[in-house]
């Protein structure tokens, strides 16, 4: 089991199943919502338990973002598939996860470079983002 929480501790997460490696998203929405790019893993919805109250923002016609209404910490990205994305920064302790790719690289900010050697996609890449690996 992996646990996580927001900055103030009002919202906690428990993930009981496998999680996908972390994907860095450089899209404009993630950058504006977080102040930089977002790094997120994902898990099956049925494996994620949230305690406390999330506030949801409908960021597009198909996705919403969950954050703590007290401290503002972004925690979840909820899209149309069977998984829910979990912002890696809210996970506690060692996770054993690593960044395995970057998406929406064409939207990245001009103030940084992507300097690792993992795959990069100009936009969305379902092969990187949808699967959950053991």
């Amino acid at each position: 089991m992996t646990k996580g929480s927001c900055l103030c501790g009002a919202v906690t997460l428990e993930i009981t199943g496998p999680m996908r490696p972390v994907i860095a998203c450089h899209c404009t929405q993630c950058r504006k919502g977080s102040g930089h790019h977002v790094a997120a893993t994902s898990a099956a919805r049925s494996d994620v338990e949230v305690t406390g109250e999330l506030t949801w923002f409908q960021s597009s016609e198909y996705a919403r973002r969950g954050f703590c209404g007290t401290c503002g910490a972004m925690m979840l990205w909820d899209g149309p598939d069977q998984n829910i994305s979990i912002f890696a920064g809210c996970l506690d302790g060692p996770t054993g996860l690593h960044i395995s790719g970057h998406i929406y690289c064409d939207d990245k900010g001009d103030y940084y470079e992507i300097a690792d050697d993992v795959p990069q996609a100009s936009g969305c890449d379902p092969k990187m983002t949808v699967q959950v690996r053991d």
Side-chain angles (χ1 to χ4, degrees):
M1 176 183 349
T2 303
K3 294 183 178 190
S5 66
C6 64
L7 180 61
C8 71
V11 179
T12 60
L13 304 174
E14 285 189 1
I15 301 100
T16 56
M19 292 182 289
R20 177 200 72 208
V22 174
I23 300 297
C25 182
H26 303 269
C27 80
T28 302
Q29 285 188 5
C30 282
R31 289 189 303 107
K32 288 190 178 280
S34 71
H36 193 41
H37 66 79
V38 162
T41 182
S42 71
R45 292 175 191 284
S46 59
D47 292 342
V48 179
E49 182 179 331
V50 177
T51 303
E53 190 168 334
L54 283 173
T55 298
W56 291 97
F57 172 67
Q58 191 73 40
S59 55
S60 71
E61 61 186 55
Y62 64 89
R64 62 187 185 153
R65 295 163 187 268
F67 61 95
C68 174
T70 302
C71 68
M74 292 179 26
M75 299 182 74
L76 300 174
W77 183 92
D78 187 17
D81 68 64
Q82 72 276 12
N83 300 330
I84 191 162
S85 292
I86 305 151
F87 289 29
C90 70
L91 298 176
D92 298 331
T95 64
L97 299 173
H98 62 279
I99 291 179
S100 67
H102 298 267
I103 58 174
Y104 290 98
C105 294
D106 285 357
D107 291 350
K108 79 168 200 58
D110 64 354
Y111 60 92
Y112 67 95
E113 296 301 322
I114 300 171
D116 56 23
D117 61 356
V118 297
Q120 297 180 21
S122 60
C124 183
D125 185 335
K127 290 181 182 175
M128 274 194 245
T129 59
V130 174
Q131 78 277 6
V132 174
R133 299 182 194 137
D134 292 314

